[in-house]
Amino acid sequence: MDPDSLRPSAPRRRIAPYLWIVAAAVALAGMLVQAGQSGPFDPAGRERMANYPGDLRTFLVRGAVELLVLAGVLRVWSYRHAPGRAALALALCLPWAMLNSVMCMHCGPIGGAHAVWLLLVAGGLFIAVIVSTVARVRSRRTASRAEPIG
């Protein structure tokens, strides 16, 4: 059996990183729509922690912009310098997620779902930093063992 036949095809390797972004966008949209169903708008405006008109659209647009920035920082189309880019994305995302969590302390369920989603993205970036660092260390060790001696 040819070892090259066991590797994923080139188109599949090119599409896989983008699937993570699509999955994150679908997860965000699902969380926001579900949160919109659970916390109706209070027309009197006296109740805290209620969704306001336009919250769903606002947080969907905000999440899309955050995903575009994240994709630009991670550059999912290239694996070059992946640990550093993942660490940079984590360094940008974690403070933003924490700030958003504090700002949404008294906001409605839609804002809270967005804050939870941002914290989940930060957790995923932390795992990406660890995995890409371990992969880079392993590849360097394998490359150093494969070099001929003298």
Side-chain angles (χ1 to χ4, degrees):
M1 181 176 252
D2 185 23
D4 290 333
S5 65
L6 299 175
R7 292 186 191 157
S9 65
R12 187 180 299 166
R13 282 185 289 191
R14 287 187 213 139
I15 292 174
Y18 295 102
L19 291 178
W20 289 107
I21 293 175
V22 170
V26 168
L28 174 64
M31 289 173 69
L32 293 179
V33 167
Q34 193 278 331
Q37 302 286 329
S38 67
F41 170 64
D42 177 26
R46 293 186 208 119
E47 182 182 341
R48 282 195 281 170
M49 298 187 209
N51 293 325
Y52 293 101
D55 274 356
L56 182 60
R57 181 185 44 213
T58 300
F59 283 103
L60 281 172
V61 169
R62 189 180 293 176
V65 170
E66 290 162 352
L67 277 174
L68 288 174
V69 169
L70 184 64
V73 171
L74 287 176
R75 288 187 6 201
V76 296
W77 54 89
S78 167
Y79 191 69
R80 191 166 182 224
H81 304 296
R85 288 196 310 257
L88 176 63
L90 179 62
L92 293 173
C93 185
L94 189 60
W96 176 246
M98 294 172 74
L99 177 66
N100 198 1
S101 298
V102 170
M103 288 188 320
C104 284
M105 189 179 299
H106 295 291
C107 67
I110 291 177
H114 179 254
V116 168
W117 177 79
L118 278 174
L119 290 172
L120 290 172
V121 167
L125 287 172
F126 180 72
I127 291 170
V129 168
I130 292 171
V131 168
S132 60
T133 302
V134 167
R136 174 170 257 185
V137 168
R138 279 187 162 184
S139 69
R140 284 187 179 176
R141 283 186 185 171
T142 304
S144 67
R145 287 183 190 159
E147 292 178 3
I149 300 175

